[in-house]
Amino acid sequence: MTKFFRMAVMSAIAFGLMLSQSQVASAQSINDRAAVVVKLNSADKVLSSVGYMVKSAGFGGMVPLITLGAGQFLDGLDTEKPMGGYLTFNDGVPAFVGFMPMTDLGAFLDVLEENAQMEIEEDGDDYIMITPTGDEIVVREKGGWAFMSDSADNFGELPADPAKLVAGIDDKYMMGVKAYVQRVPAALRSQAIEWMEEAFQATNQNLPEGAAEFQQRMNEQSLDQIADMIQETDEVFFGFAPSKKDKALFFDFSFTAKKGSELAKKMVAGKGADTDFGAFLKAENAAMTMNAASKISAEDAESLKAQLSTVKDSLGTLLSSDDSQLSQEDQVLVEELLGEVIDVALATMESGKADVGAAVMIDDDGLNAVFAAHVADAKKVEAVVKKLIAERGDKIPSEVEVELDASTYKGYTMHLFSGSIPEEEARMVLGEKTTLVVGIGKDKIYGGFGASPIDKVKAMIDGKKPTKAELPSQINIKLSPILRLVGKVTDQAMLEDMAEQLDDEGNQMIRIYSEYIENGTMSRVEVQEGILSLIGTAGAGLGGGGFGGDF
């Protein structure tokens, strides 16, 4: 999961580079120079997708009105071809050019003038569109396409068929954006790294001496990774795809590295990982399930170990800073125990395996969350907890019952912490007596929290079986039990009705998952159709039912 998050952060940086200045050789064709391309599907397909979403949301009666309203802006537009734009770097200046397919540009401009409060002026072979805010957009027609930009200077080279420019974005996407990071000039990428280094240094200036030194060491390690990533990233893509066939909305994000690069090898190094926690994906009465498993490459392990070692070496300085609220005795204890935990994390990195599972279950007892993780030396973590309780157990509220070594189950030592939460609403969710159970094995830790987690943790231990991970990471959320529980706690009958509706209709999942692709990863958020239908149900419940239904 950390790796995919890191990819997303680096991708945001890559997109940011596109908005800056650079030097570029203009001898390349526009197809080779476009650093970012944007595609909006044809007007016909966009209207079809919008109609599907509106109807799924329970407002089918509005689809003809939307189609009619959009129709007044389509005169002169070729509704069967895609629209979009592209960003290039020309003589050190970023230039964006948009394009739209035309059957009659004059008719289209007349529509804008009449219905969008645009002023249209002729300028030789070009047109100038003046927006209500006074901004000017230059329009030039070529080969049945209208090209638009903030300056005619950006029209030096126009593609004969811009649809080919965005052909790399699949037609299944209603909208897509793709960045070709290597088309950003190398000088600009290097400059961006320098800017980040300066920004990192600026953040250290107001920190206390010890914290500043620690942050500087962490920044240096992070900057090396960022620099490598910027120089070796190939493509970054985001797309939105409503699918009537799949009855879902898809938000896709992909990140690829240059073929043969070290980054490309790292990106797919986790492939083929085994998981011991597949049982979490099949948990009964689950409102959420999660599993993530990956191999940790030796290079990634070394990088993470370097960062953890920096943290460990700096603990004493950080804990003894002027801002610390700890006594000297507590500082010594915390440094010792945190050092032990970091040692476990280091050993886990060296094991070459990352594997976690989790589930949230909602039933008549209330809510229970269970989790598990591969930990190289779980017994060491157990020793840390025991020492902390032995040294500072008197700080635990008297209402909390602590039972260490309460029992054993299939090689796992169970420790219990339980008590009653004062707030009534919390007890309705977590039970009259809320329990935290932690099961420690040789190289795994299981845990559970809620109204009755012990049997549920045991069920996950029973289901432990090494299998190939279905996906590098996945989170699956089922909405109906969540709505039902919230409705019960808040006494909102409408929420319980919505939960019943979802159970009857199905297609109520939100799925977030990643998978490996060539030289990179693809992440997807899937929102199933049934969830859209709740918009109409909520609208009807709030007095907006007149918008629903079909004509």
Side-chain angles (χ1 to χ4, degrees), residues 9-301:
V9 172
M10 295 306 102
S11 301
I13 293 172
F15 271 114
L17 296 177
M18 311 304 174
L19 304 179
S20 305
Q21 297 187 349
S22 70
Q23 296 293 329
V24 66
S26 59
Q28 295 173 297
S29 73
I30 198 70
N31 284 13
D32 296 325
R33 290 195 296 113
V36 178
V37 295
V38 180
K39 178 180 178 180
L40 185 65
N41 225 328
S42 70
D44 287 345
K45 290 181 178 178
V46 168
L47 283 174
S48 176
S49 294
V50 171
Y52 160 68
M53 290 186 287
V54 171
K55 189 171 183 178
S56 297
F59 299 103
M62 295 186 67
V63 173
L65 297 176
I66 293 172
T67 303
L68 184 64
Q72 64 180 320
F73 293 96
L74 301 181
D75 196 14
L77 183 71
D78 187 335
T79 61
E80 297 180 354
K81 294 179 180 178
M83 300 166 274
Y86 55 89
L87 179 74
T88 57
F89 293 91
N90 302 324
D91 297 326
V93 179
F96 184 81
V97 176
F99 58 82
M100 299 179 74
M102 292 292 158
T103 58
D104 187 338
L105 176 58
F108 181 74
L109 293 176
D110 287 343
V111 167
L112 293 182
E113 196 167 26
E114 293 172 9
N115 298 308
Q117 298 181 335
M118 292 274 197
E119 293 182 29
I120 309 297
E121 297 179 358
E122 293 189 30
D123 183 18
D125 293 335
D126 296 338
Y127 294 91
I128 307 296
M129 295 193 306
I130 304 173
T131 69
T133 59
D135 296 316
E136 294 187 358
I137 301 171
V138 186
V139 182
R140 179 174 297 179
E141 186 175 21
K142 178 183 177 182
W145 295 87
F147 295 90
M148 293 156 281
S149 190
D150 61 355
S151 172
D153 294 340
N154 298 332
F155 296 150
E157 178 195 359
L158 295 175
D161 183 2
K164 293 181 179 179
L165 193 65
V166 295
I169 298 176
D170 197 287
D171 278 347
K172 69 182 179 182
Y173 294 104
M174 187 176 94
M175 183 276 289
V177 181
K178 179 175 284 191
Y180 300 92
V181 177
Q182 293 305 307
R183 295 179 186 177
V184 178
L188 174 59
R189 284 179 267 142
S190 298
Q191 187 179 31
I193 295 169
E194 292 176 7
W195 288 341
M196 281 185 284
E197 185 174 11
E198 292 173 2
F200 281 164
Q201 290 174 350
T203 61
N204 296 342
Q205 292 178 355
N206 297 323
L207 294 175
E209 183 177 348
E213 181 182 351
F214 164 73
Q215 191 62 53
Q216 179 64 27
R217 292 171 65 185
M218 294 295 291
N219 287 347
E220 289 172 357
Q221 294 168 2
S222 298
L223 194 62
D224 288 342
Q225 297 175 21
I226 292 171
D228 290 342
M229 192 165 292
I230 287 176
Q231 300 296 8
E232 296 186 354
T233 297
D234 185 19
E235 295 179 2
V236 180
F237 170 75
F238 171 79
F240 170 58
S243 176
K244 185 175 182 179
K245 176 183 176 183
D246 297 310
K247 297 183 177 181
L249 309 181
F250 298 109
F251 301 84
D252 289 353
F253 171 82
S254 66
F255 183 104
T256 59
K258 290 169 58 179
K259 186 176 181 180
S261 66
E262 288 301 313
L263 180 59
K265 295 174 185 176
K266 290 180 186 178
M267 293 283 290
V268 298
K271 253 177 137 174
D274 291 333
T275 180
D276 290 317
F277 307 127
F280 284 87
L281 299 175
K282 302 174 183 177
E284 294 184 3
N285 302 310
M288 186 280 291
T289 61
M290 176 267 190
N291 179 227
S294 176
K295 297 177 182 177
I296 302 176
S297 68
E299 192 168 316
D300 276 344

Side-chain angles (χ1 to χ4, degrees), residues 6 41 197-198 200 212 268 280 327 356 411 415 428 456 474 501 523 547:
R6 196 164 62 212
N41 225 328
E197 185 174 11
E198 292 173 2
F200 281 164
V268 298
F280 284 87
S327 66
V356 296
H415 308 284
M428 292 177 68
K456 294 172 174 59
Q474 60 176 303
Q501 175 184 328
S523 299
F547 292 107

